[in-house]
Amino acid sequence: MTENISNFVTQPQLVAQTESSVHHRHDESRETVGVQFIEDARMSARNVDVFYNFGEKQAIKNVSLDIGEREVLSMIGPSGCGKSTFLRCLNRMNDTVDGCVINGSITLDSEDIYSKEQEIVELRSQVAWYSNAQIHSLNQCTTISLMVLGCMVGGY
């Protein structure tokens, strides 16, 4: 994971230069919106890289961020940019993906979630996520309604 979470955005961005011409370019500015690091973070990710095919294909690169107590994290980006891959790292769902390699550090309450002592069921009871693909009946919901639902389910 890098110090800029927006590195998830790896797809070309469309930029209109005139009404009749559209050019593709990569946005090199990539500024993070919001606060990336906080004091007393409940969960922290530092310099996380994820590879598939036993290291042959890099899915995300050098991502770092903090998540506070009872904070809701929303990730927005194009298909295939690594949003779900990163979220699966936070509750170790990538453990079930053959050939997935994760480098970097992810902690919950200052404890390494990838340590051998980590109880996976306990971790997943504390770190949950939902996506439209998981809940087909919610596919027609807006992003804000899904965020509100997450807060309601989480008891916020």
Side-chain angles (χ1 to χ4, degrees):
M1 297 187 206
T2 66
E3 293 191 358
N4 190 340
I5 187 95
S6 60
N7 278 341
F8 281 116
V9 182
T10 59
Q11 302 295 324
Q13 185 178 30
L14 290 177
V15 178
Q17 296 202 335
T18 68
E19 287 184 18
S20 61
S21 72
V22 176
H23 300 278
H24 293 274
R25 72 173 172 87
H26 286 284
D27 183 1
E28 298 300 326
S29 63
R30 296 187 190 158
E31 294 183 29
T32 299
V33 176
V35 178
Q36 184 178 355
F37 302 110
I38 60 173
E39 290 186 33
D40 300 322
R42 177 87 198 273
M43 185 166 244
S44 293
R46 294 292 181 271
N47 308 106
V48 176
D49 298 316
V50 179
F51 299 86
Y52 291 117
N53 298 327
F54 302 97
E56 291 182 17
K57 181 180 187 315
Q58 188 162 14
I60 60 174
K61 181 179 180 182
N62 196 25
V63 177
S64 296
L65 63 85
D66 290 335
I67 304 170
E69 178 76 28
R70 302 181 67 78
E71 188 173 81
V72 175
L73 173 67
S74 176
M75 300 180 75
I76 302 170
S79 177
C81 70
K83 301 177 302 292
S84 295
T85 296
F86 178 70
L87 292 174
R88 282 193 304 269
C89 291
L90 300 181
N91 65 3
R92 293 191 53 177
M93 291 302 291
N94 282 330
D95 289 5
T96 64
V97 178
D98 192 36
C100 183
V101 177
I102 301 168
N103 296 325
S105 167
I106 301 175
T107 60
L108 176 65
D109 298 328
S110 301
E111 299 290 326
D112 180 6
I113 69 167
Y114 283 91
S115 74
K116 293 181 181 181
E117 294 79 31
Q118 177 65 56
E119 293 289 332
I120 304 301
V121 174
E122 174 64 22
L123 171 68
R124 292 181 183 155
S125 73
Q126 296 182 56
V127 181
W129 65 282
Y130 297 94
S131 72
N132 283 0
Q134 291 174 306
I135 307 172
H136 298 292
S137 63
L138 297 179
N139 278 338
Q140 300 304 314
C141 290
T142 63
T143 300
I144 192 69
S145 14
L146 289 172
M147 291 170 62
V148 169
L149 175 64
C151 291
M152 291 171 31
V153 168
Y156 298 102

